Amino acid sequence: MFMERFVIEGGNTLQGTVTIKGAKNSMLPIMAASVLNSSDRNIELFNIPDIIDMHVMKIILESLGLEVVFSNNTLTINTKRLSSYAVSDELMREMRSSIFLMGPLLARLGKVRVTYPGGCSIGPRPIDLHFKGLEALGAEIREENGSIFARAPYLKGAVIHLDFPSVGATENLMMAAVLARGKTVLHNVAKEPEIVDLQNFLNGMGAIVRGAGTDTIRITGVEALGSCSYRIIPDRIVAGTFLMAAAATGGEILVKGIIPSHLDAVVAKMREAGAELEAYEDSLFIRKSKLKGVEKVCTLPYPGFPTDLQAPMMVLLALARGRSTIVESIFEARFKHAYELQRMNARIHIDGRKAYLWGVDKLSGTDVVATDLRAGAALVIAGLAAEGITTVHNIRHIDRGYERLEIDLQKLGAKIQREKGLHEQKAASC
Ligand code: EPZ
């Protein structure tokens, strides 16, 4: 199978303005939540990025009988022909976020069939917290040769304490509880902005959800939900990726169309590393900065430093004067990009969930392999900053979460081209 690649000529600083599109991690649960609409009126979603994961979720919804049209960064979804409760194995394997269909299908149809979403290159990605919560709401879940069947004549409100503030489990349980009989209280939930976005969308459909963004979400079940039109929030991870690309190349860019407060932990840590950042109402400006190492970057659930920016931050620190330590506390195996960066002359030592870095003056261009979308984005940043030519292989990973990344970078002065690759490349062993 052809795998495309980016060919990057390093050494150009980024200059100019980039406008950020809608958040992948808001879009995916909200697309799944559209299943809850039992009216025959369309749902309209605005500010939708044209990325692979959107097209995969669109195919999944169509496989359930929904009509989904994507045009001009807008999704129009009609649910009157919802006819299936089974998500195919192939589609489950294609994208982990298909697990978001469990809550809505159970709530709407009283049954759902899925299979275990594939683990991926950042860890096993269990879904035990999803199951525990759905069972607490009255679902019966059984496994039969790899398939998972869940059924519930009706869902009943419950008090649920999440063992870990899982983003996906919080969202799945919110989408199940909105049509449950009675009240549900979810404790120790994820507080990401994408959770607040989902709450606002569900309430736009007529749900009664309160508390998103805090440790506790309270839901009062209703009989049925209708349609609504909704604009999703901008992608804070894509915004952070561009800020780090500018910092790593010594550039000056304005990142606009964002909610700066969603990046408070990122801005604070980048400033600690010497980045000069100014916040405006819907944008962040980064000036040419002299980077220095930071004692520790520890990834945490929101509002802590986001795990999805750990890889791009590693590139920035690989080029910062002095020593830094990164602790990846969310995922078990999210350092694969470090082995690719070592091949570019980065000085990094990995010890379990810790990465120790000693800044170098220059990275050297070479062939590297993207292992997940954020690792891929980090390798692009490394290529932009490196001396010589860097080829990033398997960029399908990047296209899952970044809409034509190379076009936005070209507009900022980067020398990056998309090329037909040969075949899937293997990453460095780790
Ligand atoms: C969401 O994944 C995001 N994906 C991830 O973004 C993000 O990295 C992650 O949250 C953490 O912020 C989407 O929103 C589509 P979790 P999710 O459940 O929901 C463990 C990207 O690059 N866990 O909060 O899968 C799990 O193993 C992607 O855009 C359980 O143990 O994350 C992990 O260690 C990557 N049991 C930790 O919790 C469960 O049932 C965080 O997982 C569920 C999770």
Side-chain angles (χ1 to χ4, degrees), residues 24-26 28-29 53 95-97 99-100 120 122-131 164-171 190 192 194 235-237 300-302 306-308 328-332 334 353 372-374 401-402:
K24 167 178 84 77
N25 293 349
S26 224
L28 290 169
D53 277 11
M95 182 176 69
R96 166 184 171 75
S97 300
I99 198 69
F100 288 148
C120 62
I122 61 179
R125 312 292 295 274
I127 50 176
D128 55 310
L129 301 180
H130 297 245
F131 287 3
F164 178 87
S166 153
V167 170
T170 301
E171 290 163 341
E192 275 70 1
E194 292 76 26
D235 196 312
R236 60 195 169 97
I237 304 301
L300 287 169
Y302 194 90
T307 173
D308 293 344
E328 172 52 63
S329 78
I330 304 291
F331 287 107
E332 298 78 357
R334 200 167 198 177
R353 288 193 181 221
D372 76 83
L373 76 148
R374 309 303 174 187
Y402 295 84

Side-chain angles (χ1 to χ4, degrees), residues 2-316:
F2 272 117
M3 293 296 285
E4 293 184 314
R5 60 193 179 196
F6 283 144
V7 179
I8 304 164
E9 183 185 332
N12 299 284
T13 55
L14 301 186
Q15 306 279 344
T17 298
V18 61
T19 301
I20 301 301
K21 302 189 180 80
K24 167 178 84 77
N25 293 349
S26 224
M27 170 194 77
L28 290 169
I30 285 176
M31 285 179 76
S34 64
V35 162
L36 294 162
N37 168 28
S38 54
S39 80
D40 56 12
R41 284 188 306 284
N42 288 340
I43 282 176
E44 282 199 310
L45 301 176
F46 303 107
N47 199 24
I48 299 294
D50 186 358
I51 54 178
I52 288 179
D53 277 11
M54 183 278 292
H55 291 284
V56 174
M57 186 58 90
K58 176 173 182 290
I59 293 168
I60 291 173
L61 295 182
E62 287 166 340
S63 74
L64 299 174
L66 276 61
E67 287 161 40
V68 187
V69 175
F70 175 70
S71 133
N72 204 11
N73 294 106
T74 298
L75 273 171
T76 305
I77 302 172
N78 190 289
T79 58
K80 59 177 177 275
R81 291 198 180 79
L82 172 64
S83 54
S84 166
Y85 63 90
V87 181
S88 74
D89 301 7
E90 184 200 1
L91 288 170
M92 283 299 297
R93 269 195 303 278
E94 177 67 22
M95 182 176 69
R96 166 184 171 75
S97 300
S98 30
I99 198 69
F100 288 148
L101 270 306
M102 279 195 86
L105 284 172
L106 263 179
R108 186 78 205 279
L109 301 178
K111 52 188 175 182
V112 56
R113 176 212 171 273
V114 292
T115 53
Y116 273 98
C120 62
S121 66
I122 61 179
R125 312 292 295 274
I127 50 176
D128 55 310
L129 301 180
H130 297 245
F131 287 3
K132 267 170 77 174
L134 292 172
E135 285 168 339
L137 290 169
E140 252 173 62
I141 300 178
R142 63 184 169 78
E143 295 174 48
E144 221 167 79
N145 7 313
S147 288
I148 300 160
F149 292 92
R151 53 186 297 283
Y154 62 89
L155 293 170
K156 188 172 41 42
V159 178
I160 298 167
H161 289 256
L162 284 178
D163 297 347
F164 178 87
S166 153
V167 170
T170 301
E171 290 163 341
N172 232 337
L173 298 179
M174 286 166 73
M175 294 189 281
V178 289
L179 291 181
R181 291 181 190 174
K183 294 185 185 308
T184 294
V185 182
L186 304 175
H187 289 292
N188 193 31
V189 293
K191 299 186 276 197
E192 275 70 1
E194 292 76 26
I195 308 284
V196 178
D197 222 20
L198 177 60
Q199 169 180 281
N200 294 340
F201 174 68
L202 291 169
N203 289 344
M205 295 171 81
I208 303 172
V209 186
R210 299 288 179 272
T214 73
D215 292 312
T216 304
I217 291 176
R218 297 174 194 283
I219 298 169
T220 304
V222 295
E223 280 294 309
L225 292 181
S227 69
C228 82
S229 294
Y230 192 76
R231 180 181 178 81
I232 65 168
I233 56 172
D235 196 312
R236 60 195 169 97
I237 304 301
V238 172
T241 305
F242 277 98
L243 289 170
M244 291 179 187
T249 60
E252 290 200 347
I253 68 170
L254 179 70
V255 177
K256 56 186 278 203
I258 63 172
I259 301 171
S261 63
H262 288 171
L263 288 118
D264 281 352
V266 176
V267 168
K269 200 46 78 171
M270 288 184 72
R271 282 179 172 148
E272 197 183 322
E276 295 187 32
L277 287 152
E278 290 152 27
Y280 300 100
E281 194 183 330
D282 74 341
S283 60
L284 279 163
F285 180 70
I286 180 166
R287 291 198 177 293
K288 188 175 179 55
S289 311
K290 193 139 190 48
L291 299 175
K292 60 184 194 289
V294 296
E295 190 184 339
K296 186 161 88 167
V297 183
C298 181
T299 64
L300 287 169
Y302 194 90
F305 189 93
T307 173
D308 293 344
L309 282 172
Q310 178 257 104
M313 188 71 185
M314 184 180 283
V315 179
L316 197 156

Side-chain angles (χ1 to χ4, degrees), residues 315-326:
V315 179
L316 197 156
L317 295 176
L319 289 162
R321 190 172 23 84
R323 295 185 46 168
S324 303
T325 300
I326 296 177

